Amino acid sequence: MLQFVAPVREARAQDRVAEATRRYREALALDPSCNPCLVGLGQMSLQDRDFEAAVEHLEGALQLAPGAATIRYPLALAYRGLGEDAKAQAQLDARAEATLNTGMGRQMDRPGVFDPLLLELDGLAATGNVAIEARGVMAARQGRWTEAIAEFNTLVAADPENAVSRNLLAVALLTTGDRDGARHQYEETLRLDPTHSRANLQLGLLLVEDGREQEAVARFRAAVEADPGANMAYLNLAGALLRTGEAGEAADIYDALLALDPSNAPARLGRAFALIRAGRHAEAKTRLEEDILARPTEMAFPHTLTRLLAASPDGNVRDAGRAGELIQQVTREVQNGQAAETTAMVLAEVGSFDAAVRYQEIAIGLAEEAGMGELAAEMRITLALYRGGQPSRVPFRPNDPVFFPAPFKPPGAFDEPPAAGAGPQ
């Protein structure tokens, strides 16, 4: 499914709506169960105020993934556009219930799009499992973790085959540092509901921490399939693939996420590093130029492109003039060892080897001051090249941390939603 939506990335990123629509429809013809395609068509229809088409596509997506809480908010907007307020409210109610039960939908949504947990206070006054669950959630939000865990244990004891209850208990146990207990409850959650996105994501993160990357990849794949709007699952799947050397597939997963959410900066940067590690330098160059236009204030994109233009082994990719322009832009904002090393690459590429030696020595000195002796030793190999009048042809060392991204951990499932209008910090 994911490979079908990758070609849409450029059209969506450049607002070529007609082309993006055509490509989504072509992907659906190949795979009628392509949920990201339906979601993408629904989102574009919503933007065009074609509310009937938006409802058709988003309802289809919801039928394929009924647990995907993130689909319900745009679907509610579409119903509101049609004047069907009752159906819109039903979607918001269902979304709020999913958020209360799983802690998944709200934190997977794009920043700034939130709804309150509807009927939560009424639930506190009710009897039975609903009241127990609500009391546990409120206790968790207030940091009363012993009480929260007790409430969730009561839920599990009352209905051991309830995946929602086990997931709540797992989240609380993980928050309090009981990894083994949390792992057991996540495994039980998935035994009962293998498509549970939150449990797949969190179990994958635990597996990463244990060094079991291949098993984590399977869990992240399941999380993506269960909820096509789960950005965190896409990022973790791509990151795990990149760390395990599957750079080409990692680039495809980043592309799939960017087709759904072109504004996702971590996906853009991750895609660049995945393409570089896969040896697809020409494609990385093209994408980075696009990224600079899309994210003009973020120096990571011109910095990465500078290294590629100065030190790629592909002569068709290297561009000393453009690299010189970019390094001036970068160093106005960034002064650190990495920037010094990049400056040395550019100077060596234009034949200024004495200056390249000076900047490489600065970078080595900063690495040694930071206690990074192994890195300093590797940088001395490049220093020897410059002293011998040779440029670097390695923009990033194979063991560079950029090829081993840290996992993306979701915020706490019991966190309060931000105030209206609050954006990412």
Side-chain angles (χ1 to χ4, degrees), residues 11 80 97 104 131 136 205 226 230 244 246 303 307 314 362 375 385:
R80 279 180 177 168
E97 181 181 358
M104 177 186 68
L205 291 170
T244 56
E246 300 295 332
H303 196 170
R307 287 195 170 209
D314 186 343
I362 290 171
L375 174 60
L385 287 177

Side-chain angles (χ1 to χ4, degrees), residues 357-420:
V357 166
R358 289 196 298 273
Y359 274 95
Q360 188 74 359
E361 288 175 338
I362 290 171
I364 291 171
L366 291 172
E368 290 176 334
E369 289 177 11
M372 304 170 71
E374 292 184 7
L375 174 60
E378 292 177 349
M379 293 169 72
R380 287 194 180 90
I381 297 173
T382 308
L383 177 63
L385 287 177
Y386 299 157
R387 285 175 171 163
Q390 298 181 58
S392 172
R393 291 294 175 257
V394 181
F396 294 93
R397 284 172 287 275
N399 62 349
D400 195 294
V402 299
F403 299 135
F404 302 89
F408 283 83
K409 295 186 178 181
F414 303 109
D415 291 347
E416 290 281 3

